[in-house]
């Protein structure tokens, strides 16, 4: 592209706008009928009309298209009512053009007509063209669709897309034309014809039409207003201002006051300034006077004059002289009594005088309330008039209530008693009530109100719009006040109406403050000053000023001042809008800068920040850095947070996959896969996914001749727990792993694989080998408690110490076992290996139970279960539940034992797709619990299965326990073969050297004999 003439400057922005296209229908044919010079003149007249109406509503003429124009509303400066402005402009254009066409027909016999297309949506707006000579324009699909609407429109009509209609509905009258297939649009587009001005003038009108939500909170504010009303009634006059950001409820509060006044028979006159109305002077004053004189749109001029004269003269006969002025101002000049010629200035002064006379007329006996809304949009003329009116209310029976947004700085001071109510957003309880009214109380909505409160910071308008959006997007089903959540809400977007309001607010900031806000939005909900400065790209002086501006405008607030200034977004939605308004190139650069600043400014906190850094690096397009930091984060999460670790390793793998070929890609890809496999047996994984990871990892390891990784992979494959297979096969695999470890010549790997591989020997009942490997590990590690740590097991030494404990327990040497377990537990805890600590603690509990300290055993096992839950991996949770069941059985709490073991079984099977190597152990425990509960028949079935399963797979460690349960179940249910089961159990225990169990068998045999005799 270098050398190309057209270049997009980097300073564009994403904006939500409304695009309007207008052109002459059939211009080619028309042009042919005319002399070119004349045609040019005709077109100039046409362009003038279009341009004037675009300007009137503060749009931008983006370009002339030859036979028409393209205009944009909402860019460069955002207007919250961009769609309405476009529609108003379109209506006036069509009016003006029809007049113009009539003239052309008369003069040139020409049948001239125009058509208009309107669409709203996102565009990229900015300079484009020759560098340095670019002109501002909007680009995007939104533009193309607006043009298609124009092409579709009938002559003399304006067509809107659904997106524009959605924003204009209520304010404008629209006619649904149904769906159309549009070239370039993937889905049919619903098209509307613009039919005229609608009934709604403000957002509150729209809310009224939809049905107001229940009025919540605002008790104090209402009390303040009522008090002011009392003062007015007492003839003192009163004036109150209500200040709040858009959507907080200024209009609603005024509406509630007005309703109360009317209920008490007090007259209320309402007026409001309009966003697009600054170009139409005195609009609110006109509105007010029309309300005061009770003038309706349909009234004939004569009637209007009568109404004015009637009311004015009744009040104050002296007003007779002012009537011509009033008539003229209200658009009904009396042909018989023309207004004397006056300068505009003098005329306005006279008008102000008349209005004051109306307020102060001595004959007025009835109180009245005057509400003027949205003064932030007021024109100068109306503002001056309002100022005098406010001064005039003192000592009358008039209450004046005005409202405006915080950015408005009144040019008037108001009467002495004037004061302002700063309307705060809704409190959490009020939000709950509002959401309850809108959505209902269905249990599926639990937590929704809290979430909405957090997202909207209590702004009722935003709450209403988001609920509407949730309904439209099909998350909520039912009807108003009785919805159910039917689809989980992963992400609540920003409704376009809310987007428009917030974007307009942001655009009022200066360029640098806006840049700062955008940078902050990339950094996060909160950002330290130290990070924000470099990523904003501003120098220190400009930064300070910009920061002050954003804080003053309440976009950011200082969440903390010490040890460093921490800036937070006042409103989560503002952050989203600021974020979305940036071009992705800019966003990317800021993300990368944020990552770098975070690294640099927090040298001691890299571990805890690594996931965040990875995230910014990834969004910043720095994939290699992202992969590295993601791996860092995954290591750090480790066995403490296995779920996070697995997720982070998966992400590391994906990031590595996106890298260019190279050694680091392979190395990161390999370790990310191996690590995932290491979590597979802890957390469970889809077998197909596991197989794929393993195959990919093996290929990578073989390609680089990485023996170490190959050995590890073998251990995590054939040597891993949790797979249903025969002991012989498992042992053979474990043996091979031991050999590979030996060959690798890597001491840490050797220790890690020894330790992890030993588990197979325990399960198979090879207690001596199991114990010898543990000795080996202890010896190899020596004083180095970290040796082999974190490769598969957090602390292999602690593991080996635990294994020794298990060995001695199985042999019935309880004191010895307890000593080893305690050493193991201490080591695991000190070395920060919560997993081995959990496994060991469960074993300590088993020893306590065997020694008869049942209460202590149960309480320890319960605590252990909680710790395991907190850790979160399924292997450990299930194991700790099995261990809990063991001690509950010893305590003869059979119900509790059954619950624990069933939960253990459920957890395990759900995650692992099989019962694993100790399925028979859990079944044996279950059989015992069932026996304790007197459910002998079920116990028998479960025990049969337990013994079978252990026998079939050669998993001899739990077999005696299973056989013992079987013997008792047979005896209890009167089935034959109790003795045979005991004999088999004794034989297995003898063979494996589990002398502790052997002793139990002798006791059991005695009990059986006693029961029979
Ligand atoms: N206290 C309230 N209780 C219930 N709904 C409210 C309350 N305040 C405002 N709303 C609703 O929120 C929306 C926005 O309020 P509005 O008064 O138009 O805000 P503002 O005039 O400050 O921009 C309206 O639909 C309104 O009915
Ligand atoms: Mg309002």
């Amino acid at each position: 592209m270098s050398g190309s003439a057209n270049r997009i400057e980097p300073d564009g922005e994403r904006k939500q706008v409304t695009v309007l296209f207008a052109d002459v229908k059939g211009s080619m044919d028309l042009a042919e009928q005319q002399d070119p010079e004349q045609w040019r003149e005709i077109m100039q007249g046409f362009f003038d009309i279009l341009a004037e109406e675009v300007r009137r509503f503060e749009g931008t003429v983006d370009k002339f298209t030859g036979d028409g124009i393209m205009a944009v509303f909402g860019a460069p400066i955002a207007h919250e009512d961009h769609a309405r402005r476009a529609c108003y402009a379109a209506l006036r254009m069509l009016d003006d053009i029809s007049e113009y066409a009539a003239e052309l027909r008369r003069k040139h016999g020409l049948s001239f007509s125009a058509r208009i297309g309107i669409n709203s949506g996102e565009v990229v707006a900015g300079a484009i063209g020759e560098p340095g000579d670019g002109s501002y324009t909007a680009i995007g699909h939104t533009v193309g669709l607006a043009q298609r609407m124009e092409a579709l429109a009938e002559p003399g009509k304006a067509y809107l897309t659904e997106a524009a209609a959605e924003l204009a509905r209520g304010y404008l009258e629209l006619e649904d034309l149904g769906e159309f297939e549009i070239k370039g649009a993937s889905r049919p587009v619903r098209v509307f014809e613009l039919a005229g001005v609608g009934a709604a003038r403000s957002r509150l009108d729209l809310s009224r039409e939809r049905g107001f939500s229940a009025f919540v909170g605002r008790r104090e504010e209402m009390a303040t207003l009522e008090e002011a009303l009392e003062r007015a009634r007492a003839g003192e006059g009163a004036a109150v201002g209500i200040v709040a950001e858009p959507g907080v409820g200024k209009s609603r509060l005024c509406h509630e006051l007005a309703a109360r006044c009317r209920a008490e028979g007090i007259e209320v006159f309402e007026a409001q300034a309009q966003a697009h109305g600054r170009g139409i002077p005195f609009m609110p004053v006109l509105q007010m006077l029309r309300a005061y004189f009770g003038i309706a749109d349909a009234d004939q001029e004569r009637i209007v004059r009568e109404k004015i004269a009637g009311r004015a003269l009744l009040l104050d006969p002296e007003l007779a002289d002012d009537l011509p002025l009033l008539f003229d101002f209200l658009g009904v000049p009396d042909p018989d009594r023309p207004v004397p010629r006056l300068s505009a200035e003098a005329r306005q002064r006279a008008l102000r005088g008349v209005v004051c006379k109306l307020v102060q007329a001595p004959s007025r006996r009835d109180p009245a309330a005057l509400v003027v809304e949205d003064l932030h949009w007021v024109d100068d003329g109306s503002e001056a008039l309002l100022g005098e009116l406010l001064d005039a209310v003192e000592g009358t029976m008039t209450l004046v209530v005005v409202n405006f947004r915080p950015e408005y700085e009144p040019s008037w001071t108001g009467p002495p008693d004037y004061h302002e109510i700063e309307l705060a957003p809704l409190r959490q309880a009020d939000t709950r009530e509002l959401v309850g009214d809108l959505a209902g109380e269905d249990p599926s909505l639990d937590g929704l109100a809290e979430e909405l409160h957090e997202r909207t910071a209590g702004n009722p308008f935003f709450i209403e719009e988001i609920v509407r959006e949730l309904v439209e997007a099909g998350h909520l089903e039912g009807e108003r006040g009785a919805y159910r959540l039917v689809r989980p809400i992963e992400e609540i977007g920003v409704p376009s109406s809310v987007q428009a309001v917030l974007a307009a607010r942001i655009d009022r900031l200066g360029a640098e403050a806006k840049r700062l806000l955008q940078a902050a939005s990339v950094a996060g909900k909160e950002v330290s000053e130290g990070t924000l400065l470099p990523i904003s790209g501003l120098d220190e002086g400009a930064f300070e000023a910009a920061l002050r501006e954003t804080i003053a405008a309440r976009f950011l607030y200082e969440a903390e001042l010490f040890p460093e200034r921490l800036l937070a977004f006042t409103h989560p939605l503002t952050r989203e809008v600021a974020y979305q308004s940036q071009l992705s190139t800019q966003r990317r650069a800021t993300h990368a800068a944020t990552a770098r600043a975070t690294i640099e400014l927090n040298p001691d906190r890299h571990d805890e920040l690594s996931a965040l850094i990875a995230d910014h690096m990834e969004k910043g397009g720095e994939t290699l850095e992202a992969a590295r930091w993601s791996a860092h984060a995954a290591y750090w999460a480790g066995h403490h947070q296995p779920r996070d670790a697995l997720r982070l390793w998966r992400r590391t793998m994906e990031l590595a996959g996106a890298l260019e070929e190279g050694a680091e890609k392979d190395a990161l890809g390999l370790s990310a896969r191996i690590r995932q496999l290491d979590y597979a047996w802890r957390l469970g994984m889809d077998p197909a996914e596991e197989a794929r990871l393993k195959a990919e990892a093996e290929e990578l390891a073989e390609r680089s001749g990485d023996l170490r990784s190959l050995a590890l992979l073998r251990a995590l494959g054939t040597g891993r727990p949790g797979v249903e297979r025969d002991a012989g096969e498992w042992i053979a695999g474990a043996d091979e792993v031991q050999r590979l470890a030996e060959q690798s010549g890597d001491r840490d790997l050797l220790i890690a694989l020894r330790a992890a591989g030993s588990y197979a020997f325990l399960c198979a009942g090879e207690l001596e080998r199991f114990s010898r490997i543990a000795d080996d590990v202890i010896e190899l590690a020596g004083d180095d408690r970290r040796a082999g740590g974190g490769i598969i097991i957090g602390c292999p030494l602690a593991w080996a110490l635990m294994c020794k404990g298990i060995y001695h327990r199985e042999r019935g040497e309880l004191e010895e076992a307890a000593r080893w377990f305690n050493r193991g537990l201490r080591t695991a805890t000190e070395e920060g290996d919560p997993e081995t600590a959990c496994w060991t603690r469960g074993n300590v509990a088993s020893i306590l139970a065997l020694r008869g300290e049942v209460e202590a055993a149960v309480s320890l096992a319960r605590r252990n279960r909680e710790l395991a839950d907190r850790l979160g991996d399924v292997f450990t949770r299930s194991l700790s539940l099995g261990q809990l069941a063991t001690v509950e059985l010893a305590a003869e709490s059979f119900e509790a034992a059954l619950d624990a073991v069933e939960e253990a079984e459920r957890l395990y099977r759900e995650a692992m797709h099989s019962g694993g190597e100790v399925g028979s152990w859990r079944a044996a425990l279950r059989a015992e619990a069932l026996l304790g509960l007197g459910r002998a028949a079920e116990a028998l079935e479960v025990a049969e299965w337990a013994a079978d399963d252990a026998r079939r797979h050669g998993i001899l460690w739990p077999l005696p326990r299973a056989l013992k349960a079987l013997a008792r179940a047979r005896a209890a249910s009167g089935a034959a073969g109790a003795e045979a089961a005991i004999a088999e159990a004794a034989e297995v225990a003898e063979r494996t050297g589990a002398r502790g169990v052997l002793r139990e068998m002798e006791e059991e045999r005695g009990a059986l004999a006693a029961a029979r005799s």
Side-chain angles (χ1 to χ4, degrees), residues 513 572 712 757 804 991:
L712 247 176
K804 292 298 291 180
R991 184 143 49 95

Side-chain angles (χ1 to χ4, degrees), residues 835-857:
E835 202 176 45
T836 306
C838 260
W839 303 336
T840 314
R841 213 178 288 110
N843 281 309
V844 173
S846 77
I847 293 288
L848 288 172
L850 287 169
R851 287 204 302 217
E853 299 170 43
V854 178
E855 249 173 68

Side-chain angles (χ1 to χ4, degrees), residues 920 942-954 959 962-963 966:
S920 58
V942 176
E944 290 281 9
W945 183 88
D948 259 8
D949 187 65
R951 263 192 230 114
R952 195 172 53 238
H953 294 301
L959 184 53
L963 287 164
L966 180 60

